[in-house]
Amino acid sequence: MAVKEVCESVSAEDTVKTGPDTPFLLEECEKEKEPWKSLLKRKVGKKCSCTPDRAKSLLVDSIPILKWLPRYHFKDWIIGDAMSGLIVGILLVPQSIAYSLLAEQDPIYGLYTSFFASIIYALLGSSRHISVGMFGVLCLLVGQVVDRELILAGYPSSTNQTFPVYVENSTGAVCDRSCYAIMVGATLTFTAGVYQVLMGLLQVGFVSVFLSDSLLSGFATGASLTILTSQIKYFLGLHLPRVQGWGSLIRTWINLFKNLGHTNVCDLVTSILCLLVLVPTKELNDRFKAKLKAPIPFELFVVIAATLASHFGQFNEKYGSDVAGYIPTGFMTPQVPNWSLIPNIAVDAFSIAIVGFAITVSLSEMFAKKHGYVVDANQEMYALGFCNIIPSFFRCFTTSAALTKTLVKESTGCQTQLSGLVTAIVLLLVLLVIAPLFHSLQKCVLAVIIVVNLRGALRKLGDILQMWRVNRVDAIIWVVTMATSALVNTELGLLVGVLLSAFCVLGRTQCAQVLQLGQAGDRELFEDLESYKGLHTQPGVAVFRYEAPIYYANQALFKKSLYRKVGLDPLKEKARRKKLDKQKKQEQGGEEQKREIEVSTNVFLIQHTTFHTLIIDCSSMLFLDTAGVNALKEVCKDYKELGVCVLLVQVNTSVIDSLRRGGYYDPKNDTKDVQFFTVGDAISYAQSLKSQNGDCDTVV
């Protein structure tokens, strides 16, 4: 049964001319409450109904390609989609191989991951522009988990392995190091995907709003420093195991300096040459992106040239340079995740799921806003979840949206996710034919590609002063998140950033102050007396505003701030009066004693303003909890005992309901349920009142 509302408007003709002591009244809408049983029955029936129209709508909403593909403008969009898909596919080839290195996987698995992610997101994603694939931060997190599980399983480091080690998994198959690494990566990916789908089912897509831009930026920069550090060993050709645990970045640099004498000169020279080529050309692409129809794929050119040089120069055989090794063609037989690993990686998978979802949703909403359409956060959760669950059976690892490839996709004319299918075709061609040709590609070249793509995140280090000038709280969140992610632990950095952001929000409500308001001329405009000149107060009335909700955590601070600003603490005043009464009783007679008491009383009274009414502007109070209602009741009661009337002004309807339920309006205590919609109405009402002793100018 729908909620019925009976509303009566107040017109100028129906309004009776009110006197100065009668506040302006609005008649509230009477809402007929529906019994919770019938409400629950109606909502469940609506959600669980199965009609042809609802089934069709659910199918179309769950698979967005069914919605936009029938309305595809072939002549207008096909060229842009084909061009963007082709360019992104070309860029993905070297990046997929490179990011496999970061995730502790063989190159073929990176190509698999990009291929399946492009297809699945094209079918299920609600964004038209983002490119889903491997993202450096997620690859780092996956690599850390994989390396930890390899050590726990008894496998030696890849740099120190001199003999094959095999482990029998739960399926009865025998695994070498590479096989077990992708088994861990796939299981981690499957678990993260399950988390994301469950969050989509629970409609918790809103959690992305709690991950602020400063938090995500700081986390990405801190993780980028860790990624940079992890790749330096490939630059130098050093065979060092990945450092695990807290403080891994510092310990890795210490190991690097200790082993500088073992630098492979061939790898070092190759790294320097690749940097000298890629950094300037990337800058040229960025500077002239408005004039270029498509970015020039210098990464692919460098990979081809480096592969040819390594192959014909026999860098692996002559100089001991590490190379990508054999890359098979085609697809391997699907395999199920190793269920026994899930307890070990469940916590890691949750942090990966949150990071991947937050990055994907933030990019989706950014490009949707830019191009004038809407994305569904919960559908993005589903899409990303299935981009992880389904590929995990095909030896893939975790994916999310990637900013650089998304920018390339948008700038080259992408209109729909059909471009993702074109990208998948390019990757399929590489998987079936071209992949083995990268056998001689040096790992140091892949490391250079990874580091060069970190430029955007690392540049944020130079923006700290600008962030500090714009917003100090956001700058602190950024610095703490970045430092924790880089210097302590990557996953811990995200948690610390979330907690710090929450404490900053709570802290702002703790730091809110009570402001004394003054009126601007005869206008209905009241602002802070300390912030603006030319404001004046009303005789016998003090107006204050508290610019925060009142709840359990700040209710004591509210009362303390209010009493300090008013200049009269009711509790101290009552205690002082009791002390004087006690002195009168203890000390007998004597005119001198009586004069001393009167003089002390007069001295105290002179220090305080003459007012009979305290008005609290509640326009900034978004909500009240039980503690907040009790705090206002105590303020009203304490001041009433001193002869001061407390009036609440501009109270929103939710706060009014809280006050009523909490018993603030109590006729027995002369607290009437009267609403003042303007400060001026409250002042007029207060000035028409008489204080309890009949004198409006009573010193209280």
Side-chain angles (χ1 to χ4, degrees), residues 159-181:
T159 57
N160 297 327
Q161 185 171 352
T162 57
F163 57 90
V165 178
Y166 297 93
V167 172
E168 185 174 347
N169 61 31
S170 58
T171 62
V174 177
C175 266
D176 60 5
R177 189 180 193 281
S178 172
C179 170
Y180 194 76

Side-chain angles (χ1 to χ4, degrees), residues 539-541 609-612 689-691 693-700:
V541 180
T609 308
T610 59
F611 65 95
H612 55 78
L689 296 176
K690 293 183 179 180
S691 61
N693 60 5
D695 185 2
C696 288
D697 293 329
T698 301
V699 179
V700 185

Side-chain angles (χ1 to χ4, degrees), residues 125-139:
S126 60
S127 173
R128 303 175 191 170
H129 294 89
I130 67 169
S131 175
V132 172
M134 285 178 293
F135 182 58
V137 175
L138 291 184
C139 289

Side-chain angles (χ1 to χ4, degrees), residues 44-60:
V44 170
K46 183 179 179 181
K47 291 289 184 182
C48 298
S49 62
C50 185
T51 63
D53 291 339
R54 177 167 174 74
K56 180 180 178 181
S57 175
L58 184 63
L59 179 64
V60 171

Side-chain angles (χ1 to χ4, degrees), residues 248-448:
S248 59
L249 183 139
I250 297 175
R251 287 187 288 152
T252 299
W253 279 105
I254 292 174
N255 289 342
L256 288 171
F257 283 116
K258 287 181 177 179
N259 291 273
L260 282 179
H262 300 93
T263 299
N264 187 305
V265 178
C266 179
D267 283 343
L268 178 60
V269 172
T270 303
S271 300
I272 293 174
L273 290 176
C274 291
L275 281 172
L276 291 176
V277 173
L278 283 178
V279 173
T281 52
K282 282 278 191 177
E283 293 295 330
L284 288 174
N285 267 339
D286 291 342
R287 181 169 296 183
F288 297 104
K289 63 182 179 182
K291 297 181 180 180
L292 294 172
K293 293 183 178 180
I296 302 173
F298 289 107
E299 289 176 344
L300 184 62
F301 298 157
V302 167
V303 166
I304 294 173
T307 303
L308 292 174
S310 176
H311 176 72
F312 291 106
Q314 298 181 344
F315 291 169
N316 178 248
E317 293 81 2
K318 291 184 178 180
Y319 308 107
S321 293
D322 286 335
V323 295
Y326 173 68
I327 304 177
T329 57
F331 294 91
M332 299 182 186
T333 306
Q335 68 173 12
V336 297
N338 190 333
W339 311 118
S340 62
L341 285 173
I342 292 180
N344 297 348
I345 51 89
V347 176
D348 303 288
F350 184 75
S351 62
I352 288 174
I354 294 295
V355 173
F357 167 69
I359 293 169
T360 301
V361 170
S362 60
L363 286 180
S364 299
E365 292 180 345
M366 180 176 72
F367 284 95
K369 183 178 180 181
K370 181 178 180 180
H371 292 276
Y373 62 93
V374 179
V375 293
D376 183 354
N378 290 310
Q379 180 60 33
E380 290 296 290
M381 192 86 83
Y382 286 128
L384 195 59
F386 284 112
C387 280
N388 287 321
I389 291 176
I390 298 175
S392 68
F393 291 90
F394 296 90
R395 295 176 172 83
C396 300
F397 48 93
T398 314
T399 56
S400 73
L403 177 59
T404 54
K405 292 183 281 292
T406 300
L407 290 172
V408 170
K409 195 172 182 179
E410 183 216 18
S411 64
T412 51
C414 172
Q415 298 293 332
T416 67
Q417 282 299 331
L418 189 65
S419 61
L421 299 178
V422 176
T423 298
I425 293 174
V426 175
L427 293 171
L428 180 63
L429 178 64
V430 174
L431 284 167
L432 296 179
V433 180
I434 305 174
L437 300 179
F438 296 108
H439 176 278
S440 299
L441 178 61
Q442 291 170 271
K443 289 185 177 180
C444 64
V445 178
L446 301 176
V448 170

Side-chain angles (χ1 to χ4, degrees), residues 362-612:
S362 60
L363 286 180
S364 299
E365 292 180 345
M366 180 176 72
F367 284 95
K369 183 178 180 181
K370 181 178 180 180
H371 292 276
Y373 62 93
V374 179
V375 293
D376 183 354
N378 290 310
Q379 180 60 33
E380 290 296 290
M381 192 86 83
Y382 286 128
L384 195 59
F386 284 112
C387 280
N388 287 321
I389 291 176
I390 298 175
S392 68
F393 291 90
F394 296 90
R395 295 176 172 83
C396 300
F397 48 93
T398 314
T399 56
S400 73
L403 177 59
T404 54
K405 292 183 281 292
T406 300
L407 290 172
V408 170
K409 195 172 182 179
E410 183 216 18
S411 64
T412 51
C414 172
Q415 298 293 332
T416 67
Q417 282 299 331
L418 189 65
S419 61
L421 299 178
V422 176
T423 298
I425 293 174
V426 175
L427 293 171
L428 180 63
L429 178 64
V430 174
L431 284 167
L432 296 179
V433 180
I434 305 174
L437 300 179
F438 296 108
H439 176 278
S440 299
L441 178 61
Q442 291 170 271
K443 289 185 177 180
C444 64
V445 178
L446 301 176
V448 170
I449 293 174
I450 292 173
V451 171
V452 169
N453 281 290
L454 299 176
R455 292 173 306 125
L458 295 177
R459 280 175 180 165
K460 294 289 184 181
L461 292 169
D463 298 337
I464 295 177
L465 294 179
Q466 177 65 20
M467 286 189 286
W468 180 261
R469 287 191 290 266
V470 173
N471 190 301
R472 294 185 178 183
V473 174
D474 286 345
I476 291 172
I477 293 172
W478 189 94
V479 171
V480 172
T481 305
M482 182 274 297
T484 308
S485 300
L487 301 177
V488 183
N489 181 272
T490 309
E491 296 91 337
L492 184 64
L494 181 65
L495 178 61
V496 169
V498 171
L499 293 177
L500 181 61
S501 298
F503 282 125
C504 286
V505 173
L506 292 175
R508 291 179 182 182
T509 64
Q510 301 291 306
C511 297
Q513 298 294 322
V514 172
L515 307 177
Q516 184 174 5
L517 306 184
Q519 187 173 10
D522 296 330
R523 292 184 174 88
E524 182 58 40
L525 178 61
F526 293 82
E527 287 299 335
D528 181 21
L529 284 171
E530 297 180 358
S531 299
Y532 298 96
K533 298 179 180 179
L535 303 179
H536 63 88
T537 58
Q538 301 295 330
V541 180
V543 184
F544 296 89
R545 179 171 65 213
Y546 188 62
E547 298 190 322
I550 305 175
Y551 61 107
Y552 69 94
N554 70 347
Q555 52 90 17
L557 295 173
F558 159 71
K559 291 190 292 183
K560 183 178 179 181
S561 179
L562 178 65
Y563 295 160
R564 182 174 61 250
K565 201 71 176 180
V566 171
L568 177 61
D569 188 331
L571 301 179
K572 291 182 180 180
E573 172 63 11
K574 287 190 289 186
R576 189 191 66 82
R577 291 184 179 182
K578 288 181 180 180
K579 184 178 180 181
L580 292 177
D581 292 339
K582 186 176 181 181
Q583 289 178 358
K584 288 180 181 180
K585 293 179 181 179
Q586 289 179 350
E587 300 182 8
Q588 299 296 329
E591 294 294 329
E592 294 182 0
Q593 181 65 28
K594 292 182 179 179
R595 291 194 195 100
E596 289 179 3
I597 295 174
E598 290 176 358
V599 169
S600 64
T601 304
N602 290 335
V603 169
F604 178 83
L605 295 176
I606 291 172
Q607 294 175 350
H608 293 284
T609 308
T610 59
F611 65 95
H612 55 78

